[in-house]
Amino acid sequence: MTAELVRGQNHPLAQVRLEVRVSAGRPVVAGAALSDERGRAHGVEWVAHPGAPTLPGVEVSRQAAADHRLALDLDALPSAVHRLGVLLALPAGVGGPVRFGAVAAPFVAVTGLDGAEIASYTLTGLDTESAVIAVEFYRRQGAWKVRAVGQGYAGGLAELLSDQGLGEARRLAEVIDEAVARGLARSVAAPPPRTPDADRSRQTAPATPGADQPHTGPGAPGGATDGTEPARPPYDPPVSDGSPHRTPAPPSPPSAGPVDYSHPRRRTTAPPPPPPAAAPAEPGQPARPVAGDATGWSMDERLYNQVWGMFEDLARTVAAYRSAVDFADSRLDRELDQALADPRGRIGAGGDGAREAARARHAALVDQARAVLDRDLAQLTAEAEVVEPALPAAYASWDNPVWHGYRPPMEIPMAVRVGDLSLPESGTLGIPMLLRLPLERGLWIDSGRSSHDGTLADQDRLRRLAVDTAVAQAARLLAVYPAGEFSVHVIDAAGAGAPSLAPLVASGVLAGPPAAGAAGVAEVLTRLTRRVDLVHMALRGGAADSLPPDLDTSEQLLIVNDFPHGFDDRAVTRLRYLADEGPAVGVHLMMVADREDASGYGPLLDPLWRSLLRITPLPDDHLADPWVGHAWTFEPSLVPAGSRVVERVLAQVAAARGR
């Protein structure tokens, strides 16, 4: 039975290998502070945080997320440690809430290896605090207990860490904030639910691992957007029936009105259920996958949620495998050290036998983890083979037959595909990378070779591939929006991208010819800046119906090639303004640029690069998921060589506009 704690209450623990699950509804930073019997931390190395997520016996999330899973092995803590506090803080400098009183009450649960809750605590009563010690694990007479603390700090992480006795508290708080900002900048945003009461994920009950089996429960790590991300526990998580576990996202808190302190996991309503799965081929086998096997109000929404569920499943199952291997490696090292610690066992048959037995146990654990991974990968691959052909055009790759029957849509889709994501362990399995529409941040297609080892000739090829990628992305956006509701502008100051831009120019879908030279750059930026200013003023003044009749109110995309060529200081300032203020009023930026070319501006452009989602024209492992923070290999969605599908699609877009 779960002990529902109140502030100050404690509960004994019969287990030392635990998981702490946090549900906050909004992205929060999670960490852990170790302290001695007096409650004092001995240095910054006693704090686990996103910038340093692993300590002996502790692993925390690598970025801010609405849900966290912290892995604990209390027996592995240093002997000087008598207390472990779980810290929560609101991210600083990212534009979100600045006090816990403005968000739903965080919920913390302590679970065992089987996923069963041991104790839980809802942190109510917080107001101006932006950091809090949620719960504390402490050692008393050789046994461990957990206590509900709920001690908040209005001064944020710096005040909290200072209260732990750290002289470098302010500097450590800055390091944590910087690590969180970096994590959010590279993280693929998790999809927000379209309805506040919708639980759009599938779940399976976790199985109980054996006594010597690494933990494989749903607490295995895996980051979303947006942020999102459980930590990678040092154990491997269980999957009961061969189907990977999907964790429901908590409902978003209301933007206004009283804070809802209801239990985060209790639902009062539900969205339409997913379609029934096909019967299993044989008794005891997992059901055959079907397209749309997720909840949602339409087939497109079900497919969207299913793709995100596959993304999370792959992140968590690979995290489980890596955790199990890490656990097996650390166990092998410990057993070998123990065998060598006894001088009598270093030489001779006894010592050799102990070492061989340790290596055999290591191999068995790794093989067991690999078998679980292979099982989950096989199921996900089977699901992908069913889902991919069923995807609508907005979610489909360019070689999908759905494009042969393309017709301009009547409404905006939920999302658009920009590429595919994969992990080294996933083999040929890739997950479509879907971004919600309208775009919440611009795109930066990196044409530099900083992430690609190439020669000077390769640099020219990269620049051409980068423009090809931009054209493919722009063509897809034009195709998935209703006719006349999306306009594309191009700045190509030196004309270097003319060959790749030819399909857009020839089809007549651009708002005007590509702008060339400094004068053309200034004219396009002035026009779009004016649009952003007017729409912002109209919205703030409640006069949206009084916009000038000649103002194009459709969504706008500005493609900038070969930045900063043709840009003076004023143009750069306007570009930064569009990147910051444009998305809120329908003006989006797509940069095709090598950051090194703009190095002369120094740190002035750092906010610009951070505001854009970086993608690459060649496969590159620079994106992170919002659950675990894996480094995913991104491969852009490009048109197959020799295919004329883009030209045909753009011709239909142009024809639909002319009707």
Side-chain angles (χ1 to χ4, degrees):
M1 180 180 295
T2 302
E4 296 188 2
L5 305 180
V6 297
R7 181 175 296 181
Q9 186 179 359
N10 60 47
H11 186 74
L13 297 172
Q15 308 174 50
V16 293
R17 289 168 58 185
L18 304 165
E19 209 171 65
V20 179
R21 304 184 184 182
V22 178
S23 298
R26 297 291 293 266
V28 297
V29 182
L34 310 181
S35 55
D36 57 22
E37 64 276 7
R38 297 177 300 163
R40 313 299 285 178
H42 289 192
V44 296
E45 65 277 5
W46 275 35
V47 180
H49 56 82
T54 305
L55 295 178
V58 184
E59 188 162 4
V60 304
S61 304
R62 289 163 170 79
Q63 61 195 53
D67 295 291
H68 292 272
R69 286 178 171 82
L70 285 66
L72 306 181
D73 185 350
L74 300 177
D75 273 356
L77 295 174
S79 58
V81 173
H82 287 257
R83 299 183 186 181
L84 185 153
V86 175
L87 321 177
L88 302 178
L90 294 170
V94 296
V98 296
R99 60 187 186 92
F100 275 109
V103 301
F107 174 79
V108 178
V110 179
T111 73
L113 297 189
D114 57 358
E117 286 189 6
I118 299 170
S120 64
Y121 174 42
T122 302
L123 284 77
T124 59
L126 298 175
D127 187 10
T128 60
E129 298 88 345
S130 59
V132 62
I133 300 176
V135 296
E136 179 184 65
F137 298 84
Y138 63 99
R139 193 183 345 226
R140 182 67 52 84
Q141 297 178 347
W144 285 94
K145 295 184 177 183
V146 61
R147 175 190 293 124
V149 180
Q151 175 63 54
Y153 296 84
L157 273 174
E159 183 181 352
L160 184 153
L161 295 170
S162 178
D163 198 40
Q164 299 292 306
L166 289 174
E168 310 92 335
R170 187 165 300 279
R171 175 56 189 154
L172 179 57
E174 294 173 354
V175 169
I176 295 173
D177 290 340
E178 291 170 2
V180 171
R182 288 195 303 269
L184 291 176
R186 65 191 289 267
S187 174
V188 180
R194 278 194 107 183
T195 55
D197 58 353
D199 177 1
R200 309 185 190 286
S201 56
R202 298 173 297 174
Q203 303 181 66
T204 58
T208 303
D212 195 40
Q213 177 181 345
H215 173 44
T216 59
T225 74
D226 122 355
T228 33
E229 153 263 343
R232 190 179 72 194
Y235 330 107
D236 182 13
V239 183
S240 60
D241 60 356
S243 108
H245 178 88
R246 292 194 183 160
T247 304
S252 299
S255 57
V259 176
D260 179 10
Y261 290 115
S262 61
H263 195 294
R265 297 189 180 180
R266 292 174 186 157
R267 303 286 189 267
T268 56
T269 58
E282 299 177 8
Q285 296 296 315
R288 298 187 187 97
V290 295
D293 186 16
T295 54
W297 303 105
S298 66
M299 188 60 177
D300 283 2
E301 186 174 1
R302 289 176 175 176
L303 288 168
Y304 172 80
N305 289 326
Q306 186 173 14
V307 168
W308 269 92
M310 294 165 61
F311 185 17
E312 181 177 358
D313 287 348
L314 182 56
R316 293 188 186 279
T317 196
V318 169
Y321 170 73
R322 293 179 180 178
S323 298
V325 172
D326 289 347
F327 172 75
D329 290 344
S330 64
R331 175 173 169 170
L332 175 63
D333 292 341
R334 185 170 64 251
E335 291 180 346
L336 292 178
D337 289 342
Q338 291 172 353
L340 293 173
D342 185 357
R344 296 169 297 179
R346 293 177 186 171
I347 302 175
D352 292 342
R355 288 188 287 272
E356 286 301 319
R359 293 189 180 97
R361 285 190 291 270
H362 173 271
L365 285 175
V366 173
D367 291 345
Q368 180 183 3
R370 185 72 220 190
V372 173
L373 175 66
D374 290 342
R375 180 195 64 192
D376 290 348
L377 288 179
Q379 182 179 352
L380 285 170
T381 300
E383 187 172 11
E385 291 172 350
V386 172
V387 169
E388 188 71 39
L391 295 177
Y395 307 168
S397 60
W398 283 111
D399 58 358
N400 192 306
V402 71
W403 289 106
H404 296 297
Y406 168 78
R407 293 292 183 271
M410 300 300 292
E411 59 182 27
I412 302 172
M414 285 187 64
V416 66
R417 184 176 187 159
V418 295
D420 294 271
L421 297 168
S422 61
L423 292 169
E425 294 87 349
S426 64
T428 58
L429 175 62
I431 304 296
M433 179 177 169
L434 305 180
L435 297 184
R436 285 293 293 261
L437 292 178
L439 297 174
E440 296 179 355
R441 55 193 296 203
L443 300 177
W444 166 29
I445 303 173
D446 190 356
S447 61
R449 56 183 175 185
S450 58
S451 57
H452 315 287
D453 296 328
T455 63
L456 185 60
D458 289 334
Q459 180 65 23
D460 295 335
R461 175 171 169 265
L462 281 172
R463 292 182 184 274
R464 173 66 184 266
L465 284 173
V467 185
D468 289 344
T469 303
V471 170
Q473 304 293 357
R476 182 183 292 271
L477 287 168
L478 284 164
V480 303
Y481 270 82
E485 293 190 20
F486 196 84
S487 299
V488 177
H489 310 260
V490 176
I491 291 178
D492 187 22
S500 297
L501 293 169
L504 294 176
V505 176
S507 62
V509 295
L510 296 179
V521 171
E523 192 274 330
V524 171
L525 292 177
T526 299
R527 186 169 68 251
L528 291 178
T529 301
R530 173 179 175 268
R531 182 194 183 281
V532 171
D533 287 339
L534 288 174
V535 175
H536 267 305
M537 287 189 292
L539 293 176
R540 289 167 186 161
D545 56 349
S546 61
L547 289 168
D550 62 336
L551 188 74
D552 184 1
T553 57
S554 65
E555 297 280 315
Q556 311 284 312
L557 175 68
L558 172 60
I559 302 175
V560 179
N561 182 42
D562 206 17
F563 177 80
H565 189 89
F567 280 73
D568 56 19
D569 290 346
R570 185 171 184 179
V572 168
T573 300
R574 286 178 170 171
L575 189 70
R576 288 183 55 191
Y577 176 74
L578 291 178
D580 292 339
E581 303 295 335
V585 291
V587 177
H588 312 284
L589 187 60
M590 184 183 293
M591 298 274 291
V592 182
D594 179 358
R595 188 168 181 173
E596 289 299 316
D597 292 343
S599 59
Y601 287 94
L604 178 68
L605 291 182
D606 286 353
L608 172 64
W609 304 118
R610 285 197 298 266
S611 70
L612 305 174
L613 175 63
R614 176 176 173 260
I615 60 177
T616 52
L618 291 176
D620 188 58
D621 58 348
H622 66 283
L623 290 175
D625 65 81
W627 301 283
V628 184
H630 288 314
W632 291 75
T633 297
F634 169 82
E635 186 170 358
S637 181
L638 296 176
V639 181
S643 173
R644 306 288 295 176
V645 62
V646 166
E647 286 81 355
R648 291 196 298 270
V649 168
L650 292 179
Q652 293 196 47
V653 171
R657 288 183 173 184
R659 294 188 187 127

